[in-house]
Amino acid sequence: MQRRTFIKDTATYTAIGLASNGFSIGHNIFSVDKVKVGFIGVGARGNGTLELALLRKDVVVTAICDIDKDAANRGAKLVTDAGHKAPALFTDGDHSYKKLLDLKDLDVVFICTPWEWHTPMSIDAMKAGKAVACEVAGAMSIDECWQMVRTYEATLTPFMIMENVCYRRDVMAVLNMVRKDMFGEMIHLEGGYQHDLREVKFNDGINYYGGGVEFGDKGYSEAKWRTTHSVYRNGDLYPTHGIGPIGSYIHNNRGNRFEYLTSMSSKARGLHNYVTDHPKGGKDHPNAKVNFRLGDVVTTNIMTTNGETITLSHDTNLPRPYSLGFRVQGTKGLWMDVNKSLYIEGKSPAHKWELAEPYLKEYDHPLWKKYENDASGAGHGGMDWFVMNAFIEAYKRKDPMPLDVYDHASWAAITCLSEQSISQGGEPQSFPDFTDGKWMHRKPIFALNDVY
Amino acid sequence: MQRRTFIKDTATYTAIGLASNGFSIGHNIFSVDKVKVGFIGVGARGNGTLELALLRKDVVVTAICDIDKDAANRGAKLVTDAGHKAPALFTDGDHSYKKLLDLKDLDVVFICTPWEWHTPMSIDAMKAGKAVACEVAGAMSIDECWQMVRTYEATLTPFMIMENVCYRRDVMAVLNMVRKDMFGEMIHLEGGYQHDLREVKFNDGINYYGGGVEFGDKGYSEAKWRTTHSVYRNGDLYPTHGIGPIGSYIHNNRGNRFEYLTSMSSKARGLHNYVTDHPKGGKDHPNAKVNFRLGDVVTTNIMTTNGETITLSHDTNLPRPYSLGFRVQGTKGLWMDVNKSLYIEGKSPAHKWELAEPYLKEYDHPLWKKYENDASGAGHGGMDWFVMNAFIEAYKRKDPMPLDVYDHASWAAITCLSEQSISQGGEPQSFPDFTDGKWMHRKPIFALNDVY
């Protein structure tokens, strides 16, 4: 806190901040050492995150782990091409990440591995005292969520769940508007993950996306592991892009929390059809016999303790345009992203939608105003820059992580509760209170200003 | 059937049909008598329906019932102004409609009364052998739905539920597209009733809409009775505008049916805020003490036997633009009305929304193509003309009603099941099979051609 106060009071800070054309250097002047970063998993997603890390002047990548040696070497080359020392490499099987965690010359790890590895790796990292930046996913079990929480509480090693959509420009502008009470008291929210992933779930075993109907051992990249979840599981497998921003809007775990949910799954047709209709597939292809359990559209309703309802959609097997389907509705109006429109009583023409764009510009979040240039060109429209920046800056300041282990547990639990509800014919499922009652007193901390 | 075959085979029919500038006269040449119509309820809605009926050359209005004598007289004047004989009037209290039903000179009745009267009046009318055109509403109880079904089965008096949105032009074009398999196998559907009704639920006791915060005894028109349901009930009170069209898309009760639902209700703020924030209201107004139970947004998920999921929204207490929120999603693509867009694999640019308008024009339903001019100017964008036309034409032909008592029962039941689910914290509720198994064999009949 002293450092932050000092920064705020120093004219130099503002001057440097305004003059900065590249990445923020405002804080480096106060930190002696660079943050030493390790990567566990440098596949499609990890590779992109690594590239982003290498652009930062306050970060040095000292170690890389991946069971795919080619991927690890490609990552190491990125590091040396950026002019840095070659990182230590760990490629010797599923548990070689533990050796990476043994390194002394390492402050934090980015975990960008298949979903089922997030929890064991995060737990081991926290126990080893390495701060964790963990990619998003649904949980495999409720107990897994508890393990994350209890390990954090026992170790107090910083943990951040890297939900980039919380930093999407329109999402943050709307957060700004929510905080200015422009939509009134929150009533109903919607979001989800509506993304045609058929060319992610299937490929030709060589390229990242499409070109065949292979998955599992014969697939490549995400098709190698992600598709398996669509074979065996039926629920909202990927809730965080929708629920993360909504969590900020309704103060999840900070004066409010998710109380129970019900979930319903449509029939499953999309993945089977993709296999049988593909020129490299067909009715006689072995994968035409696979019983994909994941319903094409899974709809989940969540009740909060403060009485807001939330509807989440998971829709990844069918042809459709990408849409996270946000709706933020309060007593004074609502915003929807699918029609890029909003309505605010007393401002909008009566009973008519207005284009959201002018409002999103006017209420652009201070963070985006400040760092727009830094973020431009970064992944997913710039939001990847912000989520990494938040993690690194909070770490350097020893601040609480803006998206913490309680956020993670309550978001990731949706997957398991959704599976349970569906398997019980829609029965409501209660959320555990992962904060042990602390939610009643905790205050919002996410993106309160333009610091990170 | 003989008559229909004859019509189809007669060149005259086509010539007359094409030449018709006013309302359809194609069939009148075959019917000796006009259909003798009675109105029960000529308030805001009944009055509009009466005006529409008076435009038809194949209808004569012989009786009007309303407990509001002014409304009845206004209706009678409409009839005589149209050059017809003065109708018999029945205004002597809640049960005077029974005297109307005793008339011999009466074929059919339109029931446009408060929701709670639909069932007793429809039942009495069916028992009296008067064909029923009943306005839409949710049911008060599941037993009420059964009573309607059993009375119809015992009397075989024609009964049609007058769901006008089934005839909305875009809704019918999409039905046409669904039947041409352009969206593939149906997977997930959405709809609802999202309509800021605050100026319907409250008025000044003199005018139809707004101008005050009165309801019940001090309100006028719908505010007199409709608002009471928002005081005492919490559920999807008005499901038919959403579920009606969806029922056609998925062959409800004709090879498919609703199996169970779960429902969730947000907190209730909108109506209370309206009272307290209104210049004629305020915190000290007696209605500020009313506990409005109806949640501002009620979300209901329905599972069908064929595995489609349906999400319905009921959202009538908050400031918002009108939207029925349709989404029709299948294995090949989807249509949404909120962004007026669709996506069809192989036709639309990959991963991009296309404006729906050109498709809606190309696949305009044959009924709309044929009767566009007749319907223009009729209520709710013309769809009111179609729903009345369907009832009268089916009646004249002695055809089965296109939206029948089983449609009504399964739609109206949603209200009670939604209330039950909400009061049980989201517990799933099973739909009764109102067809006693006939749904397995019944075939679709709704708007299969351009006849009605």
Side-chain angles (χ1 to χ4, degrees):
Chain A
M1 282 308 294
Q2 277 188 319
R3 181 184 287 172
R4 185 185 283 177
T5 309
F6 175 64
I7 291 172
K8 276 189 188 153
D9 294 341
T10 306
T12 319
Y13 169 76
T14 312
I16 293 174
L18 288 173
S20 164
N21 290 319
F23 286 85
S24 167
I25 55 166
H27 322 306
N28 293 1
I29 52 175
F30 304 105
S31 56
V32 180
D33 294 321
K34 295 190 177 198
V35 180
K36 298 176 203 82
V37 171
F39 272 81
I40 306 179
V42 282
R45 178 65 178 157
N47 199 65
T49 309
L50 172 59
E51 286 180 319
L52 210 48
L54 290 170
L55 291 172
R56 291 188 68 95
K57 306 231 183 315
D58 55 357
V59 157
V60 58
V61 176
T62 59
I64 287 175
C65 169
D66 202 299
I67 56 171
D68 177 344
K69 282 177 192 167
D70 292 343
N73 287 329
R74 193 178 52 209
K77 186 167 184 304
L78 282 177
V79 176
T80 51
D81 283 356
H84 298 293
K85 220 176 87 179
L89 290 190
F90 303 87
T91 62
D92 192 17
D94 282 351
H95 295 276
S96 63
Y97 77 88
K98 292 176 183 170
K99 289 180 188 150
L100 177 147
L101 294 176
D102 286 339
L103 292 177
K104 287 199 174 151
D105 207 27
L106 187 69
D107 301 316
V108 313
V109 287
F110 283 81
I111 297 174
C112 310
T113 49
W115 297 340
E116 50 270 45
W117 284 97
H118 291 187
T119 297
M121 286 170 172
S122 292
I123 286 174
D124 287 339
M126 283 191 273
K127 285 181 177 169
K130 314 300 186 199
V132 175
C134 184
E135 259 305 325
V136 294
M140 309 299 126
S141 67
I142 296 295
D143 185 67
E144 203 181 60
C145 301
W146 276 118
Q147 283 188 48
M148 287 282 241
V149 165
R150 295 309 184 208
T151 305
Y152 169 77
E153 290 172 345
T155 64
L156 294 180
T157 307
F159 172 95
M160 179 160 160
I161 184 71
M162 302 295 275
E163 180 38 70
N164 55 2
V165 181
C166 290
Y167 293 91
R168 206 172 83 174
R169 193 165 199 165
D170 57 347
V171 160
M172 294 196 85
V174 169
L175 176 63
N176 200 16
M177 293 173 71
V178 167
R179 286 176 173 167
K180 290 181 191 301
D181 197 35
M182 292 183 62
F183 298 106
E185 182 180 350
M186 290 286 94
I187 298 290
H188 176 72
L189 302 98
E190 298 181 4
Y193 190 60
Q194 304 178 132
H195 190 182
D196 177 358
L197 291 180
R198 293 173 303 161
E199 295 202 340
V200 171
K201 296 187 185 184
F202 299 106
N203 57 35
D204 58 4
I206 299 161
N207 296 292
Y208 285 109
Y209 304 117
V213 297
E214 304 302 335
F215 73 93
D217 289 345
K218 293 189 174 174
Y220 177 64
S221 187
E222 286 180 85
K224 225 177 177 53
W225 58 269
R226 187 172 185 162
T227 318
T228 308
H229 293 264
S230 302
V231 176
Y232 292 103
R233 306 175 74 187
N234 190 13
D236 186 332
L237 298 184
Y238 205 56
T240 69
H241 290 329
I243 201 64
I246 291 172
S248 302
Y249 298 141
I250 57 131
H251 307 148
N252 177 39
N253 293 324
R254 300 173 183 280
N256 197 5
R257 73 179 194 90
F258 308 143
E259 195 158 296
Y260 62 87
L261 64 70
T262 61
S263 201
M264 205 174 274
S265 163
S266 79
K267 62 185 116 179
R269 292 287 186 273
L271 299 183
H272 173 80
N273 287 359
Y274 189 81
V275 170
T276 56
D277 296 349
H278 196 282
K280 291 196 185 169
K283 291 199 161 72
D284 296 327
H285 190 284
N287 288 345
K289 292 189 195 72
V290 175
N291 177 28
F292 296 95
R293 285 195 68 223
L294 175 64
D296 291 337
V297 178
V298 174
T299 309
T300 303
N301 291 335
I302 301 174
M303 175 63 79
T304 70
T305 51
N306 287 352
E308 299 94 353
T309 47
I310 302 166
T311 300
L312 290 185
S313 179
H314 183 268
D315 170 1
T316 63
N317 301 340
L318 297 174
R320 62 158 300 136
Y322 179 88
S323 168
L324 298 190
F326 284 113
R327 166 168 164 176
V328 177
Q329 183 167 15
T331 51
K332 297 182 185 173
L334 78 166
W335 167 66
M336 291 185 77
D337 75 344
V338 72
N339 61 347
K340 303 178 194 302
S341 297
L342 55 67
Y343 179 80
I344 295 175
E345 188 168 38
K347 282 180 176 273
S348 306
H351 298 286
K352 286 208 189 324
W353 291 110
E354 252 190 304
L355 280 179
E357 189 58 25
Y359 289 89
L360 299 178
K361 280 200 171 132
E362 183 177 349
Y363 294 95
D364 200 20
H365 192 281
L367 260 177
W368 268 94
K369 274 190 194 158
K370 185 171 165 187
Y371 290 114
E372 177 176 9
N373 289 334
D374 304 87
S376 73
H380 295 104
M383 59 193 184
D384 288 357
W385 183 87
F386 283 95
V387 69
M388 176 178 291
N389 186 60
F391 172 72
I392 297 291
E393 295 298 338
Y395 176 80
K396 291 192 301 189
R397 287 170 170 77
K398 297 185 171 39
D399 281 352
M401 287 292 161
L403 301 170
D404 66 10
V405 75
Y406 303 109
D407 290 316
H408 162 72
S410 60
W411 300 347
I414 291 168
T415 297
C416 312
L417 298 177
S418 159
E419 289 179 279
Q420 290 173 17
S421 180
I422 289 167
S423 73
Q424 293 174 22
E427 287 283 328
Q429 309 291 321
S430 296
F431 281 81
D433 171 13
F434 293 107
T435 73
D436 293 322
K438 293 191 284 288
W439 67 274
M440 294 184 279
H441 305 290
R442 282 160 42 105
K443 302 288 177 220
I445 63 167
F446 177 78
L448 293 176
N449 48 43
D450 68 355
V451 179
Y452 57 80
Chain B
M1 283 307 292
Q2 278 189 317
R3 181 183 288 172
R4 185 185 281 176
T5 309
F6 175 65
I7 291 172
K8 276 186 188 154
D9 293 341
T10 306
T12 319
Y13 170 76
T14 312
I16 293 174
L18 289 172
S20 164
N21 290 320
F23 286 85
S24 167
I25 56 164
H27 322 306
N28 292 359
I29 52 174
F30 303 106
S31 56
V32 179
D33 295 322
K34 295 191 177 197
V35 180
K36 298 175 204 79
V37 171
F39 273 81
I40 307 178
V42 282
R45 179 62 177 160
N47 199 63
T49 309
L50 172 59
E51 286 180 318
L52 210 49
L54 289 171
L55 291 172
R56 291 189 68 96
K57 305 229 183 316
D58 55 357
V59 158
V60 57
V61 177
T62 58
I64 289 177
C65 168
D66 203 300
I67 56 170
D68 178 343
K69 282 176 191 165
D70 292 342
N73 287 329
R74 193 178 53 210
K77 185 167 184 305
L78 282 176
V79 176
T80 51
D81 284 357
H84 298 294
K85 219 176 88 181
L89 290 190
F90 302 87
T91 60
D92 192 18
D94 283 351
H95 294 277
S96 63
Y97 76 88
K98 291 177 184 170
K99 290 181 188 151
L100 178 146
L101 293 175
D102 287 340
L103 292 177
K104 288 199 174 154
D105 205 28
L106 187 69
D107 301 316
V108 313
V109 288
F110 283 82
I111 296 174
C112 310
T113 48
W115 298 339
E116 49 271 45
W117 284 96
H118 290 188
T119 297
M121 287 170 171
S122 293
I123 286 174
D124 288 338
M126 283 190 274
K127 285 182 178 169
K130 314 300 185 197
V132 175
C134 183
E135 261 303 327
V136 295
M140 309 298 124
S141 68
I142 295 295
D143 185 66
E144 204 181 58
C145 302
W146 276 119
Q147 283 187 48
M148 286 282 242
V149 165
R150 294 310 183 208
T151 304
Y152 169 76
E153 290 173 345
T155 63
L156 293 179
T157 307
F159 173 96
M160 179 161 161
I161 183 71
M162 301 296 276
E163 181 37 71
N164 54 2
V165 181
C166 290
Y167 294 91
R168 207 173 82 173
R169 192 164 199 164
D170 59 346
V171 160
M172 292 197 87
V174 168
L175 176 63
N176 200 15
M177 293 174 72
V178 167
R179 286 176 172 167
K180 289 181 191 302
D181 198 36
M182 293 183 61
F183 297 107
E185 183 180 350
M186 290 287 95
I187 298 291
H188 176 71
L189 302 99
E190 298 181 3
Y193 191 60
Q194 304 178 133
H195 190 184
D196 177 358
L197 291 180
R198 293 174 303 160
E199 297 202 338
V200 171
K201 295 186 185 185
F202 299 106
N203 56 36
D204 57 5
I206 299 161
N207 296 292
Y208 285 109
Y209 305 117
V213 298
E214 305 302 336
F215 72 92
D217 288 344
K218 293 189 176 175
Y220 177 64
S221 188
E222 285 179 85
K224 225 174 177 56
W225 58 269
R226 187 172 185 163
T227 317
T228 309
H229 293 264
S230 302
V231 176
Y232 292 103
R233 307 175 74 187
N234 190 12
D236 186 330
L237 298 186
Y238 205 56
T240 69
H241 290 330
I243 201 64
I246 291 172
S248 301
Y249 298 141
I250 57 133
H251 307 148
N252 178 40
N253 293 325
R254 300 174 183 279
N256 196 6
R257 72 178 195 92
F258 308 144
E259 194 157 298
Y260 62 88
L261 65 69
T262 61
S263 200
M264 204 174 274
S265 163
S266 79
K267 61 184 117 181
R269 293 286 186 274
L271 299 183
H272 173 79
N273 288 359
Y274 188 80
V275 171
T276 56
D277 296 350
H278 196 282
K280 292 197 186 168
K283 289 198 162 75
D284 296 326
H285 190 283
N287 289 344
K289 292 189 194 72
V290 174
N291 177 28
F292 296 95
R293 285 195 67 224
L294 175 64
D296 290 338
V297 179
V298 174
T299 309
T300 302
N301 292 333
I302 301 174
M303 174 65 79
T304 70
T305 51
N306 286 352
E308 299 94 353
T309 47
I310 301 165
T311 301
L312 289 186
S313 179
H314 183 269
D315 170 0
T316 62
N317 301 340
L318 298 173
R320 62 158 300 136
Y322 179 87
S323 167
L324 297 190
F326 284 113
R327 167 168 164 175
V328 176
Q329 184 167 13
T331 51
K332 296 182 184 172
L334 78 166
W335 166 66
M336 290 184 77
D337 74 344
V338 71
N339 61 347
K340 302 178 195 301
S341 297
L342 55 67
Y343 179 81
I344 295 175
E345 188 167 37
K347 281 180 176 273
S348 306
H351 297 286
K352 286 207 191 325
W353 291 110
E354 250 189 305
L355 279 180
E357 190 56 26
Y359 289 88
L360 299 179
K361 281 201 170 132
E362 184 178 350
Y363 294 95
D364 199 19
H365 191 282
L367 260 176
W368 268 94
K369 273 190 195 159
K370 184 170 163 187
Y371 290 114
E372 177 177 10
N373 289 335
D374 303 87
S376 74
H380 296 103
M383 59 194 183
D384 288 356
W385 184 87
F386 284 94
V387 70
M388 176 179 292
N389 186 59
F391 171 72
I392 296 291
E393 295 298 338
Y395 176 79
K396 290 192 301 188
R397 287 170 170 76
K398 299 187 170 35
D399 281 352
M401 287 292 159
L403 302 170
D404 67 9
V405 74
Y406 302 108
D407 291 316
H408 162 73
S410 60
W411 301 347
I414 290 169
T415 297
C416 312
L417 298 176
S418 159
E419 289 179 278
Q420 290 173 18
S421 180
I422 289 167
S423 72
Q424 293 174 20
E427 287 283 328
Q429 309 291 321
S430 295
F431 282 81
D433 171 13
F434 293 106
T435 74
D436 294 322
K438 293 192 285 288
W439 66 274
M440 296 184 279
H441 304 291
R442 281 159 43 104
K443 303 289 177 219
I445 63 166
F446 177 78
L448 293 177
N449 49 43
D450 67 356
V451 178
Y452 57 79

